[in-house]
């Protein structure tokens, strides 16, 4: 899956939030400063070409909706992030954040509980990453 630019991601965040909308709806849900109408439409057209967004036409207006869910994009983004910055090792990523950020013991305990709650998959690929 292709990575989104900052502008593309901002439009997708709005579409994921509102589920579908006309250009005016998308702009209305943007934080200040709101993008110009033509700028936002240009970004939406790029997202359509990339396969992230589609539309339904109503007269001369288009209602846009996401084709890629936030969860799908988040998973792809995180996999690429771990691959590019942590040599494809989730263990290295967690170690980095645990050692270099202000993570409290309570947060670490919460993370451990979440890991313990995940059903175990004994496949070699999963085991290697941990």
């Amino acid at each position: 899956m292709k990575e989104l630019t900052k502008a593309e991601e901002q439009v997708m965040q709005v579409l994921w939030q509102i589920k579908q909308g006309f250009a005016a709806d998308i702009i209305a849900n943007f934080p200040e400063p709101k993008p110009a109408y033509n700028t936002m439409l240009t970004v939406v057209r790029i997202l359509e070409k990339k396969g992230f967004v589609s539309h339904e036409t109503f007269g001369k207006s288009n209602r846009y909706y996401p084709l890629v869910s936030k969860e799908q994009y988040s998973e792809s983004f995180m996999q690429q992030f771990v691959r590019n910055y942590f040599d494809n090792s989730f263990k290295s990523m967690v170690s980095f954040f645990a050692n270099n950020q202000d993570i409290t013991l309570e947060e670490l305990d919460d993370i451990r509980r979440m890991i313990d709650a995940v059903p175990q998959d004994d496949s070699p690929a999963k085991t290697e990453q941990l």
Side-chain angles (χ1 to χ4, degrees):
M1 182 177 301
K2 294 182 180 181
E3 191 172 338
L4 299 175
T5 66
K6 184 175 181 177
E8 293 165 352
E9 190 172 336
Q10 288 174 322
V11 170
M12 288 304 298
Q13 290 289 350
V14 170
L15 281 173
W16 286 324
Q17 177 188 349
I18 67 173
K19 310 286 190 252
Q20 62 183 5
F22 295 94
D25 301 323
I26 296 169
I27 292 171
N29 283 279
F30 254 83
E32 294 292 340
K34 296 186 185 297
Y37 184 86
N38 288 338
T39 301
M40 194 277 309
L41 280 181
T42 298
V43 173
V44 169
R45 287 188 194 106
I46 292 168
L47 287 166
E48 283 189 293
K49 287 180 186 173
K50 287 185 170 183
F52 281 84
V53 171
S54 190
H55 71 271
E56 297 173 298
T57 301
F58 297 90
K60 294 183 179 181
S61 298
N62 292 329
R63 182 172 63 195
Y64 301 97
Y65 57 91
L67 292 174
V68 174
S69 72
K70 187 173 186 175
E71 292 75 21
Q72 288 170 313
Y73 183 71
S74 296
E75 182 177 336
S76 175
F77 177 84
M78 286 306 298
Q79 287 173 348
Q80 186 172 349
F81 177 76
V82 171
R83 185 173 40 255
N84 291 341
Y85 293 97
F86 297 100
D87 297 323
N88 208 30
S89 168
F90 286 90
K91 179 180 175 183
S92 293
M93 182 188 71
V94 171
S95 176
F96 171 83
F97 285 106
N99 291 319
N100 297 311
Q101 304 297 317
D102 292 330
I103 297 178
T104 66
L105 288 176
E106 182 179 323
E107 289 173 317
L108 286 172
D109 285 342
D110 289 345
I111 291 168
R112 181 64 192 182
R113 280 192 288 279
M114 286 187 280
I115 291 169
D116 289 343
V118 175
Q120 295 299 310
D121 179 357
D122 293 331
S123 68
K126 289 270 188 183
T127 308
E128 269 181 34
Q129 290 181 353
L130 300 174

